[in-house]
Amino acid sequence: MTVPTALMAGKKGLIMGLANDKSIAWGIAQALNAHGAQIAISYQNEALEKRVKPLADQLDHEPMLIKCDVTDTASVEACFKELGEKWGKIDFVVHAIAFSDKNQLKGRTIDTTLDNFTMTMHISCFSFLEACRCASPIMNEGGSIVTLTYLGAERTLPNYNIMGVAKAALEASVRYAAVDMGKQGVRVNGISAGPIKTLAASGIGDFRKILRWNELNAPLGRNVTQEEVGMSALALLSPLGAAISGEVLHVDNGYHITGMVSLEHAHESGEVLCEF
Ligand code: NAP
């Protein structure tokens, strides 16, 4: 973690998608908190509030907890209404939410059911546009919105399946939302994070192998941490990112630029995953 500064002092905003201390959203919350931001955290339902409360208690600057189930438009609207009523204007929103039926994060993408396609797109993509719409009236000029995406939006990756399709739509949504929100001086960006072992990621088939593959083949030779994603999010959410909008920033130790397995580790990559 970087040395705390006052970079975000006086800035307030909402983090959506904090499940536990392994969540990428927790890395972002810690970075924003360390640099002075006041944070509201949304939780899906009462049972999950119990999980989130002990984390919120670790934050300074009087954090707020708000219920928000993104499958329910009324819940999303109520969340931002409450935020506006309690805090007036806000400066940032972090959208770190995705969901798909775990049984369809393996096997063939073409076997995705309509129900799961619709649910995956709703929770993982539409919820981002809806959050932008609801945040719009209460965002300060100079504000910033960040969502989380993955390389599976750009290229096929084993078992990522329909989530890759949803992330592609999410990345396009970042660009369109950046145009809409830019009219009020608000920036919108995505972070394409390398794989991190979280609750959501554990639903992806063979995720352990994906982690190892990235570690062996990323130019920096290791996996990214939630703290590192937090620092990049801090840059995009703060004045450090003042001229960046509509961007998808890869925070993956450079893995996305590679076109072939690392020759240095080819033997192990081969042993782990394929005949090389
Ligand atoms: P995580 O800790 O499991 O977070 C996922 C969050 O989505 C949870 O807080 C979950 O809430 C929330 N969510 C799901 N359905 C929801 C709903 N209907 N309403 C409100 N919230 C809902 O996993 P994570 O890996 O940090 O995921 C955060 C984001 O990073 C996701 O968009 C993910 O695709 C993205 N990402 C992850 C990786 C990775 O390798 N981990 C890499 C790149 C991008 P509940 O727990 O309350 O259901």
Side-chain angles (χ1 to χ4, degrees):
M1 190 64 66
T2 51
V3 178
T5 67
L7 188 61
M8 296 298 284
K11 307 273 187 208
K12 300 176 198 156
L14 175 67
I15 297 188
M16 312 171 79
L18 179 58
N20 56 35
D21 64 352
K22 304 285 182 296
S23 295
I24 292 179
W26 183 234
I28 298 174
Q30 286 177 298
L32 290 167
N33 180 66
H35 294 270
Q38 188 175 15
I39 296 167
I41 296 170
S42 65
Y43 57 89
Q44 199 182 332
N45 57 46
E46 278 70 21
L48 299 169
E49 182 183 10
K50 292 202 187 77
R51 241 202 270 151
V52 171
K53 175 94 174 47
L55 294 174
D57 288 345
Q58 294 175 40
L59 300 175
D60 317 301
H61 324 294
E62 297 173 51
M64 194 201 311
L65 287 180
I66 313 181
K67 187 175 172 207
C68 181
D69 179 349
V70 300
T71 59
D72 175 9
T73 289
S75 172
V76 183
E77 288 176 346
C79 164
F80 282 92
K81 186 162 177 274
E82 186 178 338
L83 202 52
E85 282 166 1
K86 293 204 172 134
W87 279 0
K89 295 268 180 173
I90 61 167
D91 304 284
F92 62 86
V93 176
V94 175
H95 173 276
I97 290 177
F99 187 77
S100 189
D101 178 355
K102 161 167 168 271
N103 295 317
Q104 297 186 28
L105 291 173
K106 59 186 179 190
R108 306 193 312 174
T109 305
I110 56 175
D111 292 328
T112 303
T113 60
L114 177 57
D115 278 354
N116 186 47
F117 178 87
T118 308
M119 178 184 68
T120 305
M121 291 295 279
H122 187 170
I123 297 178
S124 315
C125 177
F126 177 74
S127 68
F128 165 72
L129 288 172
E130 187 147 70
C132 290
R133 175 179 66 80
C134 294
S136 171
I138 60 165
M139 290 287 292
N140 276 321
E141 192 175 342
S144 175
I145 300 176
V146 164
T147 188
L148 271 300
T149 180
Y150 183 51
L151 188 62
E154 302 165 60
R155 307 196 210 151
T156 64
L157 289 163
N159 300 323
Y160 205 56
N161 297 7
I162 207 61
M163 189 56 83
V165 176
K167 291 298 193 192
L170 179 69
E171 292 187 7
S173 302
V174 164
R175 293 183 280 275
Y176 282 92
V179 172
D180 290 342
M181 303 292 289
K183 297 186 175 85
Q184 60 183 95
V186 171
R187 298 179 293 106
V188 182
N189 292 290
I191 287 181
S192 183
I196 299 178
K197 199 165 183 293
T198 62
L199 210 58
S202 62
I204 301 164
D206 290 330
F207 188 73
R208 199 179 47 80
K209 290 180 183 168
I210 294 171
L211 269 178
R212 183 70 178 138
W213 184 272
N214 274 260
E215 185 185 357
L216 291 177
N217 294 298
L220 292 177
R222 60 185 179 81
N223 279 314
V224 73
T225 65
Q226 63 182 157
E227 288 76 20
E228 289 168 330
V229 178
M231 287 190 286
S232 298
L234 172 69
L236 289 176
L237 294 167
S238 73
L240 294 177
I244 305 173
S245 196
E247 188 65 273
V248 174
L249 177 67
H250 293 88
V251 183
D252 64 351
N253 289 317
Y255 179 81
H256 68 285
I257 62 159
T258 60
M260 184 177 163
V261 294
S262 146
L263 289 178
E264 194 187 341
H265 296 295
H267 182 62
E268 189 182 348
S269 293
E271 272 190 353
V272 172
L273 293 168
C274 63
E275 298 296 327
F276 186 77

